[in-house]
Each structure stands twice: as C-alpha cells, then as structure tokens.
Amino acid sequence: MGRVVRGQRKGAGGIFKSHSHKRKGAAKLRVLDYAERNGYLKGTVREIIHDPGRGAPLAKVEFRDPYKFGKREELFIAPEGMYTGQFLYCGKKAALTVGNIMPVGRMPEGAIACNLEAKVGDRGKLGRASGDYVTVINHLETGKTRVRLPSGTRKLVPSACRAMVGIVAGGGRTDKPMLKAGTAYHKYKAKRNCWPRVRGVAMNPVEHPHGGGNHQHVGHPTTVRRDAPPGQKVGLIGARATGRRRGGKKDDRE
C-alpha cells in the first residue's frame, strides 16, 4: 500500500479549503418575491468592487424594501457596461437592458444573458465567470427555454428562471500571459492551495500510481474506472473518450 495521494488529501479539506476570509460575500440575485414575479423593482448601483479570488467585479445594488421601511443591499455579479449610479430593474416586466434581471422566457431568441438560474428561485448558477454569457436559443411550448452555456452545451431550463441581461465584466482576463511564477503564486493564494501542481509521473511509485520508472512515463493506460478505490482513482476518471475529438458534426453556432 502506498502513501495517501494528493486527491485523497484534498477531500479531507484542511489546508486545501478555499481562502474566503477577505471575500465580499456570495453574489446572488434577489430572493424571488411577489414584486419580481408580477411586476418589477428598481435598484441603484452604489458601488462596483473587486472580490478577491474572483475574476469578475461585483456590484453593490441598493433596493427599497418592498415590505417594510428601509433599504436592502444586494451583491450582484457586474455585467459589462454597468456603472455606479445606474438604475436597474428586476422582475417580469423589466426591459431588455444591460444590468436588468428578468425571466429568460421574456427574452427574445438570441438574447445574451449571464448569472442564469438552473432552477426557479436558486438565485443564479450558470454563466457567472468573467466574460461568460449564455445565449437564448429558443422557447418551447412546454414552458421551457433552450439556452447555450459558455461551454457550448445546450440546456433546457424553465422559462421562469431569471438571468441578468448582458455579459459578465472582466472578459479577456486569460488572454494576458502570467509571465512569471510569482504572478501565478499570488493568483492562487487568493483562491485556494492548488498551485504549484506536481505531475504524477514526476513522483515516486509510493506517492502516485503514475510514479517511478527509469524514464518519466506512466506505463499503463491513464483511464481509470469510476468506482476505483481512492488512491487508485487518478488520471482520466470514467472517460467516455480520450484524445482529440475527430470527425462528428460541427457545432452549429447559429
């Protein structure tokens, strides 16, 4: 029996937990209420802030509390083109303007949105990373809407799911090369302990199934079954296919 491999250690948490102490909070849409289901609410963008460990900027948006006297501050993911002092509207009857939040069923086909809900009222789950967006493909009679996710996958979501109109700000972040290890160090310091990453073939056989040998080589297929025991479960887990995708139909980007 060899050592406990890195994947097993990560599962336990400990030093691998996310570095969330300096973060500004969870960025979510408003809680779905009567006002959003039937009309709209007006909010004001008070501030656009950086969130450590996140590529996209956040927006602090102030709403009037619809049920009792006072103000409510929400933390949204900022779309490209949002500015401080901007009015934005949340609800079924909101207009199709950048920053507004409305159900995808009310958006025209081809509309660009971000921070889309996967289930009604979950406050935003899809298309949240910097520069990401989802595209509305078409609306079905069954009360569902087909959208294209940033990965290119198509997904059916209920038409009542809300999304913010526009593209997430901070796009093109990965175009600039990091140039030196120190930049990568500071990038991942704000996220979690996942850098630098030692390759399995560079280890000894006691530390990794790919380790050992007189040359750096794996020596057996890197695919591994889904129900493999921890410690053996490294490489391409439960792979349906490996290598370059060849043939097949082209992705029609209509």
Side-chain angles (χ1 to χ4, degrees):
M1 190 69 195
R3 291 253 296 275
V4 175
V5 303
R6 183 175 49 206
Q8 291 172 286
R9 291 170 53 224
K10 283 192 172 183
I15 61 166
F16 297 105
K17 287 178 184 168
S18 69
H19 301 165
S20 56
H21 173 60
K22 293 272 175 71
R23 296 196 186 171
K24 302 295 184 254
K28 296 182 176 184
L29 304 179
R30 287 184 72 255
V31 174
L32 185 59
D33 56 7
Y34 180 87
E36 280 208 42
R37 274 197 298 267
N38 296 286
Y40 65 85
L41 263 101
K42 183 170 101 167
T44 312
V45 180
R46 287 289 174 222
E47 202 182 354
I48 291 176
I49 54 175
H50 168 66
D51 188 21
R54 186 195 295 266
L58 298 183
K60 282 186 177 175
V61 184
E62 196 177 71
F63 290 90
R64 194 174 62 77
D65 194 309
Y67 302 109
K68 62 176 191 284
F69 178 77
K71 301 274 176 68
R72 296 284 301 272
E73 198 173 69
E74 301 284 344
L75 205 58
F76 291 161
I77 292 172
E80 215 166 277
M82 185 178 267
Y83 54 90
T84 51
Q86 176 183 343
F87 292 135
L88 57 84
Y89 299 89
C90 302
K92 187 172 106 174
K93 298 192 174 165
L96 192 78
T97 314
V98 169
N100 285 2
I101 294 164
M102 57 195 292
V104 280
R106 311 283 289 194
M107 294 182 188
E109 292 174 8
I112 300 289
C114 60
N115 204 3
L116 167 68
E117 293 182 324
K119 298 183 176 70
V120 180
D122 71 13
R123 301 179 70 185
K125 290 279 182 279
L126 310 168
R128 293 162 54 97
S130 54
D132 273 3
Y133 60 91
V134 298
T135 312
V136 178
I137 298 173
N138 59 347
H139 303 293
L140 278 60
E141 310 279 300
T142 54
K144 297 267 177 108
T145 297
R146 185 175 280 116
V147 294
R148 185 186 292 113
L149 303 181
S151 62
T153 315
R154 289 149 188 245
K155 184 176 171 71
L156 275 177
V157 295
S159 296
C161 284
R162 298 167 296 163
M164 183 178 267
V165 181
I167 300 176
V168 181
R173 174 173 51 83
T174 54
D175 297 347
K176 181 184 172 188
M178 284 208 257
L179 294 178
K180 56 181 191 171
T183 315
Y185 166 79
H186 289 294
K187 174 186 172 178
Y188 291 106
K189 186 167 182 273
K191 289 178 181 283
R192 70 203 77 81
N193 175 16
C194 63
W195 186 92
R197 188 180 178 90
V198 179
R199 293 165 301 131
V201 288
M203 298 182 191
N204 295 314
V206 73
E207 289 146 353
H208 198 277
H210 295 174
N214 281 348
H215 301 282
Q216 281 194 7
H217 71 295
V218 180
H220 53 83
T222 54
T223 51
V224 61
R225 66 181 197 271
R226 172 71 62 195
D227 61 343
Q232 184 189 331
K233 201 172 179 179
V234 293
L236 304 167
I237 298 166
R240 291 195 183 93
T242 61
R244 218 157 46 87
R245 290 213 179 132
R246 307 185 63 171
K249 72 178 178 66
K250 298 273 188 294
D251 185 21
D252 50 333
R253 299 263 170 192
E254 73 261 2

